[in-house]
C-alpha cells in the first residue's frame, strides 16, 4: 500500500538528511560508540542543518512548521543507517514542547534562538533514584527565597538523557507538599542553567544500549534558580507533564517502528549475501517465512505509527491512543528485531553489525516514557475496566 503521510517537502528533507548521515555520522560512528557519547560540536552541525528549528517559530530563528512529520523522517533515516544522534532527541522531542507551551515571550526570546543553533542544548530531569515511574513521589525541592527573587533547588535526578552535554535542564521539583487528596500537587518546572553554582553532573551511566546518547545522574545543592526561570505556574507541573506525554510516547512508538523496519532491511541484506551449505541463507524456506512474518508486522506497525502521527499533528492524539501506539509498536519491534538477529546467527551478536546495536538500543523502548505495563493500565482504564 502506498503511504500518503509524507509530501515532497518531507522527501526532500529525507534526501538531505540521508546525505548528511552518510557524510558526517557513519564514518565516525564507531568512535562515538566507543566514547559513549556524540561529541558536543556535532550538535552545532545539527543546528546548522536546521534539525532543531523545524517547529520553532520563525521569529526565534526556526522554520515555524507545526508538524511532527519531519521528526518521523529523522527516526526512519537514523534507524536505516543504524546510528543515533546522541542525546539530541530529548532536546527537540521532550524539552521544546515545554518551552513553547509554558514559556513567556521574554523566556522564548532568551531560550529559543540558542536552542535552534545548538548553542544551548536542553534536557529534562524528572526521574529520581527510588521513584521510577512514580513522579508524584519526587523529593527534589525548590523553595522560594524570602525576597522572591529566586528559588533554592536541592535534590538529585537519574537516567537523564543528554545530561552530560546539557546547557539547560528543565528540572521538576516540589514547591509545595502533596496533599492528602492529591499526591501530585506541588510540582513545578524550572529552566536551570547547568553552569549554576551547586549544580553537578555525577556519573555518566553505562547503559545496555543507546551508547552514543549521554545519560547522567544530576545533583543540586542549594542551586539558585532565578524566579524568571520558572516555567508556567507554581504547583501545576504534573498537569504540564501529563499534557506532553502523548507526544513523547508517539516519538517512542514511531522510533520503535523505524527500528523494526531497519532490522528487516539489515536481515534481508545479510541473508542474501551470507552463504551456508553452498547456498545463500535467503534460499532457505525458513528464512523466507521469518522475514515475511516480520515484514507483515512492520506493515502493521507502520499503519499504527502513521495514524498516530496524523492524530498528533491534528491535536487529536489522546493519552490512551498514544499508549496503545507505544505498546503495539514497541512490542512489534521487540519481536521483529529479535527474529532478524537470529537470522544473522553468531554474527548478529557482534557489535560490528548494526543488528546487534539495534537489539540493545530497542530494549529500553518498553521501559522509558512509561513501561508497557503502565501503557496497558492506561488503555484498560480508557476501556472502562
Amino acid at each position: 500500500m502506498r503511504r500518503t503521510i509524507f509530501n515532497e517537502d518531507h522527501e526532500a528533507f529525507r534526501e538531505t538528511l540521508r546525505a548528511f548521515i552518510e557524510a558526517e555520522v557513519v564514518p565516525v560512528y564507531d568512535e562515538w560508540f566507543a566514547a559513549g557519547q556524540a561529541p558536543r560540536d556535532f550538535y552545532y552541525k545539527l543546528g546548522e542543518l536546521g534539525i532543531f528549528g523545524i517547529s520553532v517559530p520563525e521569529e526565534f530563528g526556526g522554520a515555524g512548521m507545526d508538524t511532527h512529520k519531519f521528526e518521523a523522517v529523522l527516526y526512519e533515516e537514523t534507524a536505516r543507517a543504524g546510528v543515533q544522534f546522541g542525546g539530541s532527541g530529548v532536546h527537540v522531542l521532550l524539552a521544546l514542547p515545554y518551552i513553547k507551551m509554558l514559556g513567556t515571550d521574554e523566556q522564548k526570546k532568551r531560550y529559543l534562538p540558542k536552542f535552534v543553533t545548538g548553542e544551548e542544548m536542553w534536557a529534562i530531569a524528572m526521574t529520581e533514584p527510588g521513584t521510577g515511574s512514580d513522579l508524584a513521589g519526587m523529593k527534589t525541592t525548590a523553595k522560594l527565597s524570602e525576597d522572591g527573587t529566586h528559588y533554592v533547588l536541592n535534590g538529585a535526578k537519574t537516567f537523564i538523557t543528554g545530561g552530560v552535554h546539557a546547557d539547560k535542564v528543565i528540572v521538576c521539583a516540589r514547591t509545595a507538599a502533596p496533599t492528602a487528596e492529591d499526591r501530585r500537587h506541588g510540582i513545578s518546572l524550572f529552566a536551570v542553567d547547568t553552569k549554576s553554582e551547586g549544580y553537578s553532573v555525577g556519573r555518566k551511566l553505562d547503559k545496555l544500549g543507546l551508547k552514543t546518547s549521554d545519560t547522567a545522574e544530576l545533583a543540586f545543592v542549594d542551586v539558585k534558580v532565578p524566579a524568571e526561570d520558572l516555567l508556567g505556574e507554581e504547583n501545576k507541573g504534573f498537569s504540564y507533564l501529563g499534557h506532553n506525554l502523548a507526544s513523547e510516547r508517539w516519538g517512542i512508538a514511531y522510533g520503535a517502528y523505524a527500528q523494526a523496519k531497519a532490522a528487516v532491511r539489515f536481515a534481508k541484506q545479510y541473508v542474501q549475501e551470507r552463504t551456508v551449505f553452498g547456498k545463500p541463507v535467503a534460499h532457505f524456506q525458513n528464512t523466507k517465512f521469518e522475514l515475511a512474518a516480520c515484514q507483515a508486522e512492520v506493515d502493521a506497525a507502520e499503519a499504527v505509527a502513521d495514524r498516530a502521527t496524523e492524530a498528533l499533528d491534528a491535536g487529536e492524539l489522546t493519552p490512551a491512543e498514544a499508549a496503545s501506539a507505544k505498546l503495539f509498536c514497541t512490542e512489534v519491534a521487540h519481536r521483529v528485531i529479535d527474529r532478524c538477529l537470529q537470522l544473522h546467527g553468531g554474527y548478529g551478536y557482534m557489535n560490528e553489525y548494526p543488528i546487534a546495536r539495534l537489539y540493545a538500543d530497542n530494549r529500553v523502548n518498553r521501559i522509558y516514557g512509561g513501561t508497557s505495563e503502565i501503557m496497558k493500565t492506561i488503555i484498560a482504564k480508557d476501556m472502562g475496566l
Side-chain angles (χ1 to χ4, degrees):
M1 293 178 287
R2 186 176 66 87
R3 297 178 80 185
T4 58
I5 187 173
F6 299 123
N7 62 28
E8 293 180 357
D9 290 337
H10 303 126
E11 295 305 333
F13 175 68
R14 185 188 302 278
E15 292 181 11
T16 299
L17 184 60
R18 187 174 296 183
F20 173 82
I21 291 172
E22 288 298 322
E24 300 289 345
V25 182
V26 172
V28 294
Y29 196 70
D30 286 346
E31 297 174 18
W32 297 3
F33 189 85
Q37 61 186 31
R40 178 62 179 84
D41 61 3
F42 173 66
Y43 299 138
Y44 291 108
K45 294 181 180 180
L46 291 180
E48 292 173 2
L49 190 63
I51 295 293
F52 298 149
I54 292 171
S55 62
V56 172
E58 293 183 33
E59 61 187 294
F60 303 116
M65 298 184 182
D66 189 20
T67 177
H68 289 77
K69 292 179 181 178
F70 292 97
E71 292 172 48
V73 172
L74 191 149
Y75 284 126
E76 291 185 354
E77 290 305 307
T78 51
R80 179 185 183 277
V83 301
Q84 297 278 338
F85 279 0
S88 64
V90 167
H91 183 68
V92 175
L93 182 63
L94 299 190
L96 182 57
Y98 290 101
I99 302 172
K100 291 172 63 178
M101 178 176 72
L102 304 175
T104 63
D105 289 342
E106 186 276 332
Q107 287 175 326
K108 291 176 181 177
K109 289 176 182 177
R110 281 194 290 128
Y111 300 153
L112 289 176
K114 293 180 180 180
F115 180 102
V116 169
T117 62
E119 184 177 347
E120 286 187 349
M121 294 299 296
W122 287 65
I124 185 166
M126 292 185 274
T127 306
E128 297 184 0
T131 62
S133 297
D134 182 19
L135 293 179
M138 70 176 61
K139 306 296 184 184
T140 296
T141 60
K143 296 183 178 180
L144 186 64
S145 62
E146 291 185 3
D147 61 6
T149 61
H150 64 274
Y151 291 82
V152 179
L153 182 67
N154 283 282
K157 299 290 183 177
T158 192
F159 305 147
I160 309 307
T161 302
V164 174
H165 284 320
D167 302 289
K168 297 277 191 181
V169 178
I170 298 174
V171 177
C172 309
R174 283 208 164 276
T175 45
T179 65
E181 296 78 20
D182 187 2
R183 292 178 62 243
R184 300 171 295 182
H185 171 76
I187 294 172
S188 301
L189 307 184
F190 299 89
V192 179
D193 191 322
T194 63
K195 295 185 292 296
S196 302
E197 184 177 353
Y199 180 104
S200 62
V201 178
R203 292 186 302 150
K204 180 167 74 70
L205 301 173
D206 184 16
K207 306 185 298 296
L208 171 67
L210 300 177
K211 289 292 188 179
T212 65
S213 172
D214 56 299
T215 302
E217 296 174 329
L218 306 179
F220 322 108
V221 179
D222 294 334
V223 176
K224 291 184 178 179
V225 182
E228 56 265 29
D229 284 328
L230 170 70
L231 286 171
E233 298 182 38
E234 265 195 7
N235 305 325
K236 293 188 176 182
F238 199 93
S239 65
Y240 298 147
L241 295 174
H243 183 273
N244 284 328
L245 277 175
S247 63
E248 178 182 354
R249 287 167 179 164
W250 165 83
I252 297 170
Y254 205 99
Y257 144 69
Q259 289 177 325
K261 181 178 181 179
V264 172
R265 176 176 178 268
F266 296 145
K268 179 182 175 182
Q269 182 179 12
Y270 178 82
V271 299
Q272 289 175 329
E273 296 173 353
R274 173 69 170 164
T275 300
V276 295
F277 306 117
K279 298 179 181 178
V281 175
H283 175 81
F284 297 97
Q285 187 182 63
N286 179 69
T287 303
K288 297 176 182 179
F289 281 8
E290 283 293 285
L291 282 177
C294 287
Q295 184 61 53
E297 290 217 75
V298 168
D299 287 345
E302 181 178 271
V304 170
D306 285 357
R307 185 181 69 176
T309 304
E310 296 284 21
L312 182 63
D313 274 6
E316 298 172 354
L317 185 65
T318 68
E321 290 169 344
S324 179
K326 179 181 185 296
L327 177 65
F328 182 77
C329 290
T330 58
E331 293 291 341
V332 164
H334 162 64
R335 293 191 297 270
V336 167
I337 294 170
D338 183 74
R339 294 168 83 171
C340 288
L341 187 149
Q342 187 74 14
L343 288 173
H344 282 71
Y347 289 105
Y349 207 65
M350 302 295 110
N351 273 328
E352 65 186 274
Y353 282 80
I355 193 67
R357 299 180 183 184
L358 194 57
Y359 184 85
D361 290 348
N362 167 74
R363 185 57 184 88
V364 75
N365 288 334
R366 291 180 288 150
I367 298 174
Y368 66 4
T371 64
S372 291
E373 290 72 26
I374 294 293
M375 299 303 101
K376 292 174 184 176
T377 300
I378 294 169
I379 297 166
K381 184 177 180 180
D382 186 66
M383 296 170 64
L385 300 174

